[in-house]
Amino acid sequence: MEARPAFSIERSSSNQLNNIGMSGALPSSLSVHPTPLEETYPRFSDSQPAFVEKGLKTRTFNHSSHISSSGAVGHMFSSSPGYSTDLHHSSLSPHEKHSRNAHFISQSMSNMASVPLPYSSNNGPLPSTTSTHYSNGSSASWHADSLPSFLDFSVNASIDNSQVESSACNIMATEEFPKRNDWQEWADQLISDDDTLTSNWNDLLADNIQDLEPKAADPISKSSSQFSAGHQSQGHQQLPALSGENNVGVAPSSSANSAPAKPRMRWTPELHEAFVEAVTQLGGSERATPKGVLKLMKVEGLTIYHVKSHLQKYRTARYRPESSEGAAEKKLSPIEDISSLDLKTGIEITEALRLQMEVQKRLHEQLEIQRNLQLRIEEQGRYLQMMFEKQCKSGVEPFKASSSAIGDPSGVSSDTMKDSLAKNESEASKTDHCRSGPDQANGSTTLEESSLQDTSKVQASDDLKQNDNEDSAQPPKRPRTDE
Amino acid sequence: MKFGKRLKQQVQDTLPEWRDKFLSYKELKKLLRLLSTAPTSLLNGSSIDYGKAEAEFMYLLNNEIDKFNGFFMEQEEDFIIRHKEVQQRIKRVVELWGPNGSQPSEADYKDEMEKIRKAIVDFHGEMVLLVNYSNINYTGLAKILKKYDKRTGGLLRLPFIQKVLEQPFFTTDLISKLVKECETIIDAVFPAEEEAERAKEAKEAIVVAGEGIFRNTVTALLTMQEMRKGSSTQSAFSLPPLNLPDSDLIQSIQLNAAVPIV
């Protein structure tokens, strides 16, 4: 049966994950296991206009900013598991509760097998718990803001959506079934098998059950990942989702392995300090064990996988300076001075290094400046959008009689705007604001000029102002596409 | 295709392990082209295609962002560890050659200091390159989103970019802080400036060969300068031209192409 060889694959991959430690596994897990990628898709696909109609996806990429957490705690980025993992949520929750009860599992398996579609469609409301659990105000507010415009977009593409989704749902139904079955079988075998593996498994489940449970699958996310089924298989040497059981077998296993490891840890110097302290207390990097360090650190949300990978990195870093750092640096060819091909005196070396340092400093400076500018540009774009919405709201009454479709203040199509333009020239300033849509951060025309003058808040530099001269003459017909 | 070219150049010059971690700009553009050719008509076939192309585009976008985040956070973690290690190393040296330490020979001291200097400068360089990585990918994303909105008349750009701004790979504050701390350490570790005068005259034609941090840094600076020179789509929302205080210094550094830069 497929289960046997598939199981061994899973074991090796899970061992691999455990042995490598999560550090190396992060990028390698991204490449070896396609599922994190597809799992993360729904996270960002919140912004996907085409699918917004079906469900309000509150799962966003949960990035706790530095502000919101204390210095000592790292930042957890738990990605909402997407397609494949979602399949296993259903299996995992009963699994968790009756972890050694094979009977129940096979029971639940048959339950799920018989109702693939309804299960998936019921998961809509659940994601909200995820967002409350992990997200900040920022992610929630982003979602709220983006909704209107996406809803508008989805209106335009509605026909496409319905077709896409219906076909997707069909594919989805057939696909889920084999996956769930195999997953259950392996989960079964895992339990009955190796003790350490089981304890690991239970650890994983315990750690992450709170992550996984609320994050149920969305039909939308599933359907959207359908299209990429072909993609994944090519890109990541994982087996195509729609093919036979053998292939399907591996996918869930890998996702099962990667799902617990998924929450990405963002380390900070303070956290690292705590880590180093714990390690020293335990007798040094060689002697310390991840479990011990984890216990000593007492940091909430830190899992043993994070500690494991970090410890590994730490050990490598300590070992390197002693032996190979010199060699490693020689690989990166140093600067060559005109006086000779090999660096003669210490002074020349030092000066070469100094020069390198200067250039690096320069680059960093410029990068910071550039980043600030970019932030300001986006801020301005946001501000303009706000203003636009306000203007549209206040300007709606006089426009109501003339244009029919300005019902949705934030999602304004260009057609509507053309109408209002034609009919209400007198309301000059309002019209100006409304006609160039919110997304004029793309950089067109008159809106910038008027807003740059009006919005004294925005301290755009003189350079920025000079540059839009040539654009002001352009006709307002299709404001959004002007560049 | 200017950005695409510049990006390619950067990727070519970058550290080998970083090569595949940059934005797949070309691929995204290809998908965009597909999107704009598959019309949103009512015909069954083409609307499916459009939806498919769109989904692929979004999928790739999301993947790219995850890729950036993963890589960035991993590098960041490494840098945090190295930062501490560098500090420890210096402390050890200071103790060893300090009043209480066992004072080994002068040669050893020089040797060790040289090694440390090189290590710190390279460390600094790598961190700056990571910031550059973040920035270039952001720029690429902003450009591709702009193109998307232009081609499809959509409203993806603004909200999406707002989301990107919050991503780990874009929030480079920690790395910048480490960079600055590095610079302070370096000042302490480098000898006095008198010999610097002599060496300055020799700087006229410095040839940088091979793939290294320095080379990559210079490329990054020049690329940035080029990208901000001005374009057909320049507007009030574009970045102003780069203002490099000692651009002559940068210009004087010729890059000896290890690989032909197209």
Side-chain angles (χ1 to χ4, degrees), chain A residues 40-41 44 63 142 160 231 266 273 310 325 338 360 370 377-378 382 439 464 483, chain B residues 47 56 62 66 77 84 89 124 135 146 149 159 161-162 166 171 205 228 237-238:
Chain A
T40 55
Y41 175 50
F44 261 87
H63 163 45
W142 168 80
D160 308 326
H231 253 289
R266 195 166 192 191
E273 280 281 345
H310 197 75
E325 196 166 70
I338 49 163
Q360 284 167 191
Q370 181 157 313
I377 288 177
E378 293 310 324
R382 255 205 328 255
D439 201 12
L464 295 179
E483 304 272 346
Chain B
S47 66
E56 276 194 38
N62 294 333
D66 292 333
E77 192 179 340
K84 191 100 197 344
R89 202 170 162 189
H124 179 270
N135 203 282
K146 187 173 169 181
D149 278 3
I161 210 79
Q162 297 297 331
E166 292 167 20
T171 51
R228 284 167 61 166
F237 290 89
S238 304

mmCIF file of all heavy atoms in Angstrom, chain A residues 40-41 44 63 142 160 231 266 273 310 325 338 360 370 377-378 382 439 464 483, chain B residues 47 56 62 66 77 84 89 124 135 146 149 159 161-162 166 171 205 228 237-238:
data_model
loop_
_atom_site.group_PDB
_atom_site.id
_atom_site.type_symbol
_atom_site.label_atom_id
_atom_site.label_comp_id
_atom_site.label_asym_id
_atom_site.label_seq_id
_atom_site.Cartn_x
_atom_site.Cartn_y
_atom_site.Cartn_z
ATOM 1 N N THR A 40 0.916 29.890 2.770
ATOM 2 C CA THR A 40 0.986 31.320 2.988
ATOM 3 C C THR A 40 0.196 32.083 1.953
ATOM 4 O O THR A 40 -0.043 33.248 2.091
ATOM 5 C CB THR A 40 2.431 31.800 2.938
ATOM 6 O OG1 THR A 40 2.979 31.385 1.696
ATOM 7 C CG2 THR A 40 3.214 31.174 4.070
ATOM 8 N N TYR A 41 -0.126 31.408 0.920
ATOM 9 C CA TYR A 41 -0.866 32.091 -0.132
ATOM 10 C C TYR A 41 -2.146 32.730 0.393
ATOM 11 O O TYR A 41 -2.391 33.896 0.157
ATOM 12 C CB TYR A 41 -1.134 31.120 -1.273
ATOM 13 C CG TYR A 41 -1.985 31.725 -2.340
ATOM 14 C CD1 TYR A 41 -1.685 32.968 -2.878
ATOM 15 C CD2 TYR A 41 -3.100 31.060 -2.797
ATOM 16 C CE1 TYR A 41 -2.470 33.519 -3.855
ATOM 17 C CE2 TYR A 41 -3.888 31.602 -3.774
ATOM 18 C CZ TYR A 41 -3.573 32.835 -4.304
ATOM 19 O OH TYR A 41 -4.351 33.371 -5.265
ATOM 20 N N PHE A 44 -1.758 36.116 2.029
ATOM 21 C CA PHE A 44 -1.682 37.300 1.217
ATOM 22 C C PHE A 44 -2.821 37.409 0.272
ATOM 23 O O PHE A 44 -3.077 38.466 -0.272
ATOM 24 C CB PHE A 44 -0.369 37.330 0.449
ATOM 25 C CG PHE A 44 0.586 38.207 1.163
ATOM 26 C CD1 PHE A 44 1.372 37.700 2.159
ATOM 27 C CD2 PHE A 44 0.607 39.540 0.893
ATOM 28 C CE1 PHE A 44 2.213 38.523 2.860
ATOM 29 C CE2 PHE A 44 1.461 40.365 1.587
ATOM 30 C CZ PHE A 44 2.268 39.851 2.558
ATOM 31 N N HIS A 63 2.188 40.079 11.728
ATOM 32 C CA HIS A 63 3.484 40.585 12.138
ATOM 33 C C HIS A 63 3.295 41.478 13.338
ATOM 34 O O HIS A 63 2.751 42.554 13.238
ATOM 35 C CB HIS A 63 4.077 41.353 10.973
ATOM 36 C CG HIS A 63 5.205 42.243 11.378
ATOM 37 N ND1 HIS A 63 6.212 41.858 12.213
ATOM 38 C CD2 HIS A 63 5.459 43.519 11.046
ATOM 39 C CE1 HIS A 63 7.050 42.867 12.357
ATOM 40 N NE2 HIS A 63 6.630 43.882 11.672
ATOM 41 N N TRP A 142 -5.992 47.009 8.227
ATOM 42 C CA TRP A 142 -5.643 46.934 6.819
ATOM 43 C C TRP A 142 -6.753 46.254 6.073
ATOM 44 O O TRP A 142 -7.164 46.656 5.017
ATOM 45 C CB TRP A 142 -4.340 46.163 6.642
ATOM 46 C CG TRP A 142 -4.113 45.842 5.231
ATOM 47 C CD1 TRP A 142 -3.629 46.689 4.304
ATOM 48 C CD2 TRP A 142 -4.411 44.615 4.565
ATOM 49 N NE1 TRP A 142 -3.579 46.052 3.088
ATOM 50 C CE2 TRP A 142 -4.046 44.803 3.217
ATOM 51 C CE3 TRP A 142 -4.934 43.387 4.960
ATOM 52 C CZ2 TRP A 142 -4.191 43.794 2.272
ATOM 53 C CZ3 TRP A 142 -5.075 42.388 4.016
ATOM 54 C CH2 TRP A 142 -4.705 42.613 2.686
ATOM 55 N N ASP A 160 -15.869 36.236 -13.844
ATOM 56 C CA ASP A 160 -14.696 35.383 -13.772
ATOM 57 C C ASP A 160 -14.694 34.601 -12.485
ATOM 58 O O ASP A 160 -14.436 33.416 -12.458
ATOM 59 C CB ASP A 160 -13.423 36.226 -13.809
ATOM 60 C CG ASP A 160 -13.433 37.154 -14.978
ATOM 61 O OD1 ASP A 160 -13.985 36.761 -16.022
ATOM 62 O OD2 ASP A 160 -12.921 38.262 -14.842
ATOM 63 N N HIS A 231 1.791 24.908 -10.631
ATOM 64 C CA HIS A 231 2.963 25.682 -10.222
ATOM 65 C C HIS A 231 3.801 24.968 -9.204
ATOM 66 O O HIS A 231 4.990 24.824 -9.330
ATOM 67 C CB HIS A 231 2.509 26.996 -9.600
ATOM 68 C CG HIS A 231 2.756 28.145 -10.505
ATOM 69 N ND1 HIS A 231 4.012 28.620 -10.765
ATOM 70 C CD2 HIS A 231 1.908 28.893 -11.214
ATOM 71 C CE1 HIS A 231 3.902 29.632 -11.599
ATOM 72 N NE2 HIS A 231 2.653 29.820 -11.888
ATOM 73 N N ARG A 266 11.004 35.943 15.167
ATOM 74 C CA ARG A 266 11.890 37.046 14.844
ATOM 75 C C ARG A 266 12.715 37.351 16.077
ATOM 76 O O ARG A 266 12.190 37.868 17.060
ATOM 77 C CB ARG A 266 11.086 38.267 14.404
ATOM 78 C CG ARG A 266 11.992 39.253 13.723
ATOM 79 C CD ARG A 266 11.262 40.313 12.984
ATOM 80 N NE ARG A 266 12.178 41.045 12.128
ATOM 81 C CZ ARG A 266 11.863 42.162 11.507
ATOM 82 N NH1 ARG A 266 10.667 42.647 11.643
ATOM 83 N NH2 ARG A 266 12.748 42.755 10.761
ATOM 84 N N GLU A 273 20.247 37.846 24.112
ATOM 85 C CA GLU A 273 20.947 37.985 25.400
ATOM 86 C C GLU A 273 20.439 36.963 26.396
ATOM 87 O O GLU A 273 21.215 36.268 27.061
ATOM 88 C CB GLU A 273 20.685 39.389 25.979
ATOM 89 C CG GLU A 273 21.518 40.497 25.418
ATOM 90 C CD GLU A 273 22.909 40.523 26.012
ATOM 91 O OE1 GLU A 273 23.121 39.863 27.053
ATOM 92 O OE2 GLU A 273 23.773 41.196 25.433
ATOM 93 N N HIS A 310 18.210 28.108 16.755
ATOM 94 C CA HIS A 310 19.050 29.217 17.187
ATOM 95 C C HIS A 310 20.333 28.694 17.806
ATOM 96 O O HIS A 310 21.421 29.233 17.585
ATOM 97 C CB HIS A 310 18.287 30.087 18.178
ATOM 98 C CG HIS A 310 18.881 31.442 18.362
ATOM 99 N ND1 HIS A 310 18.761 32.452 17.428
ATOM 100 C CD2 HIS A 310 19.621 31.959 19.373
ATOM 101 C CE1 HIS A 310 19.388 33.521 17.855
ATOM 102 N NE2 HIS A 310 19.919 33.256 19.044
ATOM 103 N N GLU A 325 37.031 31.542 9.903
ATOM 104 C CA GLU A 325 36.556 32.845 9.442
ATOM 105 C C GLU A 325 37.579 33.488 8.526
ATOM 106 O O GLU A 325 37.252 34.088 7.525
ATOM 107 C CB GLU A 325 36.245 33.772 10.602
ATOM 108 C CG GLU A 325 35.394 34.940 10.116
ATOM 109 C CD GLU A 325 34.779 35.702 11.260
ATOM 110 O OE1 GLU A 325 35.557 36.372 11.952
ATOM 111 O OE2 GLU A 325 33.568 35.620 11.456
ATOM 112 N N ILE A 338 46.318 49.591 -6.119
ATOM 113 C CA ILE A 338 47.076 49.686 -7.359
ATOM 114 C C ILE A 338 48.537 49.359 -7.156
ATOM 115 O O ILE A 338 49.236 48.972 -8.064
ATOM 116 C CB ILE A 338 46.993 51.102 -7.969
ATOM 117 C CG1 ILE A 338 47.298 52.153 -6.894
ATOM 118 C CG2 ILE A 338 45.655 51.348 -8.592
ATOM 119 C CD1 ILE A 338 47.630 53.492 -7.471
ATOM 120 N N GLN A 360 30.522 51.357 2.271
ATOM 121 C CA GLN A 360 29.391 50.676 2.919
ATOM 122 C C GLN A 360 28.546 51.658 3.707
ATOM 123 O O GLN A 360 27.313 51.606 3.666
ATOM 124 C CB GLN A 360 29.910 49.555 3.835
ATOM 125 C CG GLN A 360 30.361 48.350 3.056
ATOM 126 C CD GLN A 360 31.165 47.364 3.907
ATOM 127 O OE1 GLN A 360 31.755 46.454 3.379
ATOM 128 N NE2 GLN A 360 31.200 47.546 5.217
ATOM 129 N N GLN A 370 16.461 56.621 1.302
ATOM 130 C CA GLN A 370 15.515 56.110 0.316
ATOM 131 C C GLN A 370 14.309 55.483 0.993
ATOM 132 O O GLN A 370 13.169 55.693 0.586
ATOM 133 C CB GLN A 370 16.217 55.088 -0.582
ATOM 134 C CG GLN A 370 15.316 54.523 -1.640
ATOM 135 C CD GLN A 370 16.091 53.989 -2.821
ATOM 136 O OE1 GLN A 370 16.995 54.645 -3.327
ATOM 137 N NE2 GLN A 370 15.760 52.806 -3.254
ATOM 138 N N ILE A 377 6.157 58.566 0.764
ATOM 139 C CA ILE A 377 5.344 58.497 -0.442
ATOM 140 C C ILE A 377 4.086 57.683 -0.177
ATOM 141 O O ILE A 377 2.975 58.076 -0.548
ATOM 142 C CB ILE A 377 6.148 57.875 -1.602
ATOM 143 C CG1 ILE A 377 7.194 58.862 -2.089
ATOM 144 C CG2 ILE A 377 5.229 57.489 -2.743
ATOM 145 C CD1 ILE A 377 8.072 58.309 -3.180
ATOM 146 N N GLU A 378 4.265 56.571 0.465
ATOM 147 C CA GLU A 378 3.103 55.737 0.732
ATOM 148 C C GLU A 378 2.162 56.388 1.728
ATOM 149 O O GLU A 378 0.941 56.263 1.634
ATOM 150 C CB GLU A 378 3.536 54.360 1.240
ATOM 151 C CG GLU A 378 4.249 53.533 0.200
ATOM 152 C CD GLU A 378 3.502 53.460 -1.105
ATOM 153 O OE1 GLU A 378 2.248 53.413 -1.094
ATOM 154 O OE2 GLU A 378 4.148 53.477 -2.172
ATOM 155 N N ARG A 382 -1.722 57.204 1.187
ATOM 156 C CA ARG A 382 -2.788 56.835 2.126
ATOM 157 C C ARG A 382 -3.608 58.041 2.501
ATOM 158 O O ARG A 382 -4.830 58.005 2.566
ATOM 159 C CB ARG A 382 -2.161 56.262 3.399
ATOM 160 C CG ARG A 382 -2.265 54.794 3.525
ATOM 161 C CD ARG A 382 -2.221 54.331 4.956
ATOM 162 N NE ARG A 382 -1.432 55.128 5.853
ATOM 163 C CZ ARG A 382 -0.240 54.774 6.315
ATOM 164 N NH1 ARG A 382 0.284 53.638 5.936
ATOM 165 N NH2 ARG A 382 0.423 55.547 7.143
ATOM 166 N N ASP A 439 -5.846 56.035 -5.703
ATOM 167 C CA ASP A 439 -4.576 55.385 -5.936
ATOM 168 C C ASP A 439 -3.632 56.229 -6.748
ATOM 169 O O ASP A 439 -2.865 55.727 -7.548
ATOM 170 C CB ASP A 439 -4.832 54.057 -6.653
ATOM 171 C CG ASP A 439 -3.645 53.138 -6.443
ATOM 172 O OD1 ASP A 439 -2.808 53.458 -5.593
ATOM 173 O OD2 ASP A 439 -3.571 52.152 -7.169
ATOM 174 N N LEU A 464 10.539 66.618 -5.069
ATOM 175 C CA LEU A 464 9.345 65.897 -5.464
ATOM 176 C C LEU A 464 8.414 66.801 -6.244
ATOM 177 O O LEU A 464 7.814 66.400 -7.223
ATOM 178 C CB LEU A 464 8.621 65.339 -4.251
ATOM 179 C CG LEU A 464 9.374 64.260 -3.468
ATOM 180 C CD1 LEU A 464 8.555 63.811 -2.289
ATOM 181 C CD2 LEU A 464 9.708 63.076 -4.340
ATOM 182 N N GLU A 483 0.412 57.769 -15.972
ATOM 183 C CA GLU A 483 1.681 57.557 -15.257
ATOM 184 C C GLU A 483 2.611 58.709 -15.525
ATOM 185 O O GLU A 483 2.768 59.146 -16.638
ATOM 186 C CB GLU A 483 2.378 56.284 -15.732
ATOM 187 C CG GLU A 483 1.531 55.068 -15.610
ATOM 188 C CD GLU A 483 1.648 54.378 -14.232
ATOM 189 O OE1 GLU A 483 2.585 54.712 -13.502
ATOM 190 O OE2 GLU A 483 0.817 53.566 -13.946
ATOM 191 N N SER B 47 -12.308 34.149 -19.769
ATOM 192 C CA SER B 47 -12.458 34.621 -18.392
ATOM 193 C C SER B 47 -11.790 33.656 -17.429
ATOM 194 O O SER B 47 -11.239 34.047 -16.421
ATOM 195 C CB SER B 47 -13.928 34.808 -18.043
ATOM 196 O OG SER B 47 -14.573 33.559 -18.043
ATOM 197 N N GLU B 56 -2.384 33.157 -10.573
ATOM 198 C CA GLU B 56 -0.955 32.858 -10.614
ATOM 199 C C GLU B 56 -0.137 34.049 -10.197
ATOM 200 O O GLU B 56 0.851 33.926 -9.473
ATOM 201 C CB GLU B 56 -0.551 32.446 -12.033
ATOM 202 C CG GLU B 56 -0.810 30.993 -12.308
ATOM 203 C CD GLU B 56 -0.107 30.524 -13.557
ATOM 204 O OE1 GLU B 56 1.035 30.961 -13.807
ATOM 205 O OE2 GLU B 56 -0.710 29.721 -14.278
ATOM 206 N N ASN B 62 2.625 36.543 -3.479
ATOM 207 C CA ASN B 62 2.635 36.126 -2.080
ATOM 208 C C ASN B 62 3.847 35.265 -1.757
ATOM 209 O O ASN B 62 4.474 35.412 -0.708
ATOM 210 C CB ASN B 62 1.365 35.346 -1.745
ATOM 211 C CG ASN B 62 0.145 36.217 -1.829
ATOM 212 O OD1 ASN B 62 0.227 37.423 -1.650
ATOM 213 N ND2 ASN B 62 -0.997 35.630 -2.122
ATOM 214 N N ASP B 66 6.852 35.845 1.031
ATOM 215 C CA ASP B 66 7.257 34.865 2.022
ATOM 216 C C ASP B 66 8.735 34.545 1.901
ATOM 217 O O ASP B 66 9.429 34.366 2.906
ATOM 218 C CB ASP B 66 6.458 33.570 1.836
ATOM 219 C CG ASP B 66 5.003 33.782 2.185
ATOM 220 O OD1 ASP B 66 4.726 34.666 3.003
ATOM 221 O OD2 ASP B 66 4.164 33.062 1.631
ATOM 222 N N GLU B 77 18.681 36.905 12.129
ATOM 223 C CA GLU B 77 19.027 36.096 13.293
ATOM 224 C C GLU B 77 20.532 35.849 13.321
ATOM 225 O O GLU B 77 21.186 36.003 14.355
ATOM 226 C CB GLU B 77 18.269 34.768 13.221
ATOM 227 C CG GLU B 77 18.303 33.966 14.489
ATOM 228 C CD GLU B 77 17.498 32.675 14.361
ATOM 229 O OE1 GLU B 77 16.637 32.597 13.465
ATOM 230 O OE2 GLU B 77 17.745 31.759 15.158
ATOM 231 N N LYS B 84 26.857 39.849 18.573
ATOM 232 C CA LYS B 84 27.281 39.558 19.939
ATOM 233 C C LYS B 84 28.669 38.954 19.937
ATOM 234 O O LYS B 84 29.497 39.269 20.789
ATOM 235 C CB LYS B 84 26.261 38.595 20.568
ATOM 236 C CG LYS B 84 26.411 38.415 22.055
ATOM 237 C CD LYS B 84 25.400 39.263 22.800
ATOM 238 C CE LYS B 84 25.684 39.485 24.260
ATOM 239 N NZ LYS B 84 26.589 38.703 24.965
ATOM 240 N N ARG B 89 34.473 38.918 21.004
ATOM 241 C CA ARG B 89 35.822 38.726 20.485
ATOM 242 C C ARG B 89 36.715 39.915 20.840
ATOM 243 O O ARG B 89 37.857 39.752 21.259
ATOM 244 C CB ARG B 89 35.736 38.572 18.968
ATOM 245 C CG ARG B 89 36.909 37.875 18.389
ATOM 246 C CD ARG B 89 36.624 37.544 16.942
ATOM 247 N NE ARG B 89 37.866 37.260 16.252
ATOM 248 C CZ ARG B 89 37.956 37.104 14.960
ATOM 249 N NH1 ARG B 89 36.886 37.227 14.210
ATOM 250 N NH2 ARG B 89 39.115 36.851 14.405
ATOM 251 N N HIS B 124 29.746 44.330 8.760
ATOM 252 C CA HIS B 124 29.035 45.578 8.481
ATOM 253 C C HIS B 124 28.511 45.572 7.055
ATOM 254 O O HIS B 124 27.349 45.882 6.780
ATOM 255 C CB HIS B 124 30.000 46.741 8.703
ATOM 256 C CG HIS B 124 29.422 48.089 8.446
ATOM 257 N ND1 HIS B 124 29.475 48.699 7.203
ATOM 258 C CD2 HIS B 124 28.776 48.966 9.249
ATOM 259 C CE1 HIS B 124 28.898 49.884 7.273
ATOM 260 N NE2 HIS B 124 28.454 50.075 8.505
ATOM 261 N N ASN B 135 15.493 46.746 0.311
ATOM 262 C CA ASN B 135 15.051 47.914 -0.416
ATOM 263 C C ASN B 135 14.798 47.630 -1.886
ATOM 264 O O ASN B 135 13.797 48.078 -2.458
ATOM 265 C CB ASN B 135 16.102 49.003 -0.259
ATOM 266 C CG ASN B 135 15.510 50.366 -0.471
ATOM 267 O OD1 ASN B 135 15.278 50.794 -1.597
ATOM 268 N ND2 ASN B 135 15.229 51.042 0.613
ATOM 269 N N LYS B 146 2.498 48.791 -9.472
ATOM 270 C CA LYS B 146 2.098 49.951 -10.259
ATOM 271 C C LYS B 146 1.712 49.495 -11.671
ATOM 272 O O LYS B 146 0.689 49.909 -12.219
ATOM 273 C CB LYS B 146 3.271 50.920 -10.284
ATOM 274 C CG LYS B 146 3.027 52.253 -10.910
ATOM 275 C CD LYS B 146 4.269 53.125 -10.660
ATOM 276 C CE LYS B 146 4.244 54.392 -11.462
ATOM 277 N NZ LYS B 146 5.435 55.216 -11.241
ATOM 278 N N ASP B 149 -1.701 47.730 -11.673
ATOM 279 C CA ASP B 149 -2.838 48.643 -11.658
ATOM 280 C C ASP B 149 -3.019 49.317 -12.997
ATOM 281 O O ASP B 149 -4.132 49.538 -13.465
ATOM 282 C CB ASP B 149 -2.646 49.695 -10.558
ATOM 283 C CG ASP B 149 -3.045 49.180 -9.198
ATOM 284 O OD1 ASP B 149 -3.418 47.993 -9.121
ATOM 285 O OD2 ASP B 149 -2.986 49.951 -8.229
ATOM 286 N N PRO B 159 -3.339 49.265 -1.174
ATOM 287 C CA PRO B 159 -3.463 48.423 0.026
ATOM 288 C C PRO B 159 -2.371 47.373 0.141
ATOM 289 O O PRO B 159 -1.872 47.099 1.231
ATOM 290 C CB PRO B 159 -4.841 47.753 -0.122
ATOM 291 C CG PRO B 159 -5.408 48.218 -1.386
ATOM 292 C CD PRO B 159 -4.501 49.163 -2.061
ATOM 293 N N ILE B 161 0.675 47.476 -0.945
ATOM 294 C CA ILE B 161 1.961 48.034 -0.541
ATOM 295 C C ILE B 161 1.921 48.438 0.928
ATOM 296 O O ILE B 161 2.928 48.361 1.629
ATOM 297 C CB ILE B 161 2.370 49.220 -1.457
ATOM 298 C CG1 ILE B 161 3.888 49.310 -1.554
ATOM 299 C CG2 ILE B 161 1.848 50.539 -0.971
ATOM 300 C CD1 ILE B 161 4.493 48.334 -2.476
ATOM 301 N N GLN B 162 0.751 48.824 1.386
ATOM 302 C CA GLN B 162 0.644 49.148 2.810
ATOM 303 C C GLN B 162 0.957 47.906 3.639
ATOM 304 O O GLN B 162 1.596 47.978 4.686
ATOM 305 C CB GLN B 162 -0.780 49.636 3.158
ATOM 306 C CG GLN B 162 -1.196 50.909 2.471
ATOM 307 C CD GLN B 162 -0.329 52.087 2.854
ATOM 308 O OE1 GLN B 162 0.225 52.151 3.945
ATOM 309 N NE2 GLN B 162 -0.174 53.017 1.939
ATOM 310 N N GLU B 166 4.586 46.632 6.305
ATOM 311 C CA GLU B 166 4.639 46.067 7.651
ATOM 312 C C GLU B 166 5.393 44.750 7.704
ATOM 313 O O GLU B 166 5.562 44.193 8.769
ATOM 314 C CB GLU B 166 3.223 45.804 8.156
ATOM 315 C CG GLU B 166 2.418 47.045 8.414
ATOM 316 C CD GLU B 166 0.946 46.693 8.609
ATOM 317 O OE1 GLU B 166 0.673 45.519 8.916
ATOM 318 O OE2 GLU B 166 0.100 47.573 8.426
ATOM 319 N N THR B 171 10.895 45.962 7.490
ATOM 320 C CA THR B 171 11.172 46.693 8.718
ATOM 321 C C THR B 171 12.609 46.417 9.133
ATOM 322 O O THR B 171 12.888 45.514 9.922
ATOM 323 C CB THR B 171 10.215 46.254 9.828
ATOM 324 O OG1 THR B 171 10.247 44.828 9.891
ATOM 325 C CG2 THR B 171 8.800 46.678 9.519
ATOM 326 N N ALA B 205 42.846 54.897 -8.798
ATOM 327 C CA ALA B 205 42.213 53.860 -9.619
ATOM 328 C C ALA B 205 42.236 52.544 -8.863
ATOM 329 O O ALA B 205 43.167 51.777 -8.965
ATOM 330 C CB ALA B 205 42.943 53.733 -10.942
ATOM 331 N N ARG B 228 17.527 56.144 -9.808
ATOM 332 C CA ARG B 228 16.840 57.369 -9.422
ATOM 333 C C ARG B 228 17.141 58.517 -10.352
ATOM 334 O O ARG B 228 16.790 59.649 -10.072
ATOM 335 C CB ARG B 228 17.218 57.710 -7.980
ATOM 336 C CG ARG B 228 16.483 56.799 -7.021
ATOM 337 C CD ARG B 228 17.037 56.873 -5.640
ATOM 338 N NE ARG B 228 16.936 58.214 -5.085
ATOM 339 C CZ ARG B 228 17.111 58.481 -3.807
ATOM 340 N NH1 ARG B 228 17.357 57.501 -2.985
ATOM 341 N NH2 ARG B 228 17.033 59.714 -3.365
ATOM 342 N N PHE B 237 5.660 61.534 -6.982
ATOM 343 C CA PHE B 237 5.749 60.397 -6.085
ATOM 344 C C PHE B 237 6.959 59.536 -6.357
ATOM 345 O O PHE B 237 7.098 58.470 -5.791
ATOM 346 C CB PHE B 237 4.463 59.557 -6.185
ATOM 347 C CG PHE B 237 3.292 60.264 -5.595
ATOM 348 C CD1 PHE B 237 2.527 61.105 -6.376
ATOM 349 C CD2 PHE B 237 2.983 60.123 -4.258
ATOM 350 C CE1 PHE B 237 1.453 61.780 -5.833
ATOM 351 C CE2 PHE B 237 1.906 60.786 -3.706
ATOM 352 C CZ PHE B 237 1.148 61.613 -4.495
ATOM 353 N N SER B 238 7.796 59.997 -7.247
ATOM 354 C CA SER B 238 9.025 59.238 -7.486
ATOM 355 C C SER B 238 10.113 59.740 -6.575
ATOM 356 O O SER B 238 10.048 60.856 -6.057
ATOM 357 C CB SER B 238 9.470 59.427 -8.928
ATOM 358 O OG SER B 238 8.449 59.049 -9.808
#
